[in-house]
Amino acid sequence: MSIRTKVVSGFFILFLVLSIAGVFSLLELSSIGSSIVRLLDDNYASINASRFMLESLEREDSGILFLLLGTWDKGRATIAAADTTFRHNFDLAKNNITEPGEQKLVDSLWTSYADFKREWSDLSMNAGDENRVSQYFEKIHPTFVRTKTHVIRLLEMNSGAMYRTASELRNKAHRAVMPGVIAIAAALIFIFTFNYFIHYYIANPIIKMTRQIDAYRTKGILPDIRVETRDEIGDLASAIRSLTTKRTYQERS
């Protein structure tokens, strides 16, 4: 194998190692990007909708308290606005089912909210009912708590999924870095090894040949050049041996 082939092969191996590491890193980074998009499109949207639903429920409960205090117009306006916000965000959550069991939870949430809405609607329509306080504690408040519990469970489900996705992103980021670290370590090992072989099989023989030629030129000592490789260095060593041997023979003749 020629010196040129050896050198080119060495650089090709180095290029191949770095290229493979780069491809793996790019694939992992692309996967991280897809996971981030999924995280934002799926779990974050449901979490945000759940938070707005919780706020809407609290505002509806405040509106019910206005009704209990006899502030009917303000109470009805507060409840109507909160109901609109709740239903809007419920539709967002319903159309963004991404986790196992989430559909069942959303269905239960809507059933609970329908019960809650029916109770406060009855209270809003019966302004003159003197038993509205007992109605609140016996019927309205339990449905409010049940609905709120379902919303919290929906929020926790998507928050847990977001945490798991974030953990996966951390692991993927680690996997994206590792090929680069391994490639750098492998490249350093290869460079030192390659440098050793270049020095051992190319530089050292040339240095020895130079010294022996100088010794032959100044002292007439025949070069005893031994090269282990069969390449241009070996050819050069053979040519020097032949030349010096022939010249010595001619001088003695």
Side-chain angles (χ1 to χ4, degrees):
M1 184 183 294
S2 67
I3 294 176
R4 177 182 296 178
T5 303
K6 292 176 182 178
V7 173
V8 171
S9 298
F11 283 109
F12 175 75
I13 293 173
L14 180 60
F15 170 77
L16 187 63
V17 170
L18 295 177
S19 297
I20 293 174
V23 169
F24 275 107
S25 295
L26 288 175
L27 290 175
E28 289 295 337
L29 289 175
S30 177
S31 178
I32 290 174
S34 300
S35 298
I36 291 174
V37 172
R38 186 175 69 252
L39 182 70
L40 295 176
D41 290 345
D42 296 343
N43 301 119
Y44 182 75
S46 295
I47 290 172
N48 203 39
S50 299
R51 288 174 177 169
F52 278 115
M53 282 191 284
L54 283 176
E55 292 178 3
S56 299
L57 286 174
E58 295 293 345
R59 287 169 56 199
E60 287 183 55
D61 191 50
S62 298
I64 293 170
L65 294 179
F66 283 127
L67 295 180
L68 295 177
L69 294 173
T71 314
W72 299 101
D73 292 338
K74 186 174 183 179
R76 287 166 180 161
T78 301
I79 291 174
D83 176 57
T84 300
T85 303
F86 182 93
R87 286 186 287 107
H88 170 71
N89 285 279
F90 176 81
D91 289 338
L92 293 178
K94 182 179 67 175
N95 295 324
N96 193 41
I97 303 297
T98 57
E99 301 301 320
E102 189 173 3
Q103 181 64 60
K104 183 178 180 180
L105 180 57
V106 168
D107 293 339
S108 299
L109 169 59
W110 182 249
T111 301
S112 297
Y113 184 72
D115 294 338
F116 176 55
K117 184 175 181 178
R118 183 175 61 253
E119 295 298 335
W120 60 249
S121 295
D122 291 342
L123 178 65
S124 178
M125 296 298 295
N126 300 321
D129 191 352
E130 296 180 355
N131 297 321
R132 56 180 181 269
V133 175
S134 60
Q135 180 184 356
Y136 173 79
F137 285 105
E138 292 175 4
K139 296 181 179 180
I140 299 176
H141 188 68
T143 56
F144 165 75
V145 172
R146 186 165 61 250
T147 304
K148 185 176 180 180
T149 300
H150 282 101
V151 176
I152 292 174
R153 288 178 58 194
L154 181 63
L155 176 63
E156 290 175 345
M157 175 182 288
N158 284 279
S159 296
M162 177 177 280
Y163 177 79
R164 289 191 297 272
T165 304
S167 298
E168 292 176 4
L169 288 176
R170 181 179 60 187
N171 294 332
K172 287 181 179 180
H174 179 71
R175 289 197 298 269
V177 171
M178 284 307 297
V181 174
I182 294 173
I184 292 173
L188 290 174
I189 294 173
F190 177 79
I191 288 171
F192 284 118
T193 305
F194 188 64
N195 180 68
Y196 169 78
F197 283 114
I198 290 292
H199 185 75
Y200 184 81
Y201 288 108
I202 297 177
N204 274 354
I206 291 176
I207 293 172
K208 290 179 180 179
M209 282 188 285
T210 302
R211 290 175 179 173
Q212 292 189 23
I213 290 172
D214 288 339
Y216 174 76
R217 182 173 54 83
T218 57
K219 300 178 181 180
I221 301 174
L222 284 174
D224 184 19
I225 303 172
R226 301 181 183 277
V227 178
E228 300 178 10
T229 58
R230 296 181 179 179
D231 52 20
E232 290 86 347
I233 300 296
D235 295 340
L236 178 60
S238 298
I240 291 174
R241 282 196 302 269
S242 298
L243 179 63
T244 54
T245 301
K246 183 177 180 180
R247 182 176 177 181
T248 301
Y249 176 77
Q250 290 175 348
E251 289 177 351
R252 290 177 180 177
S253 299

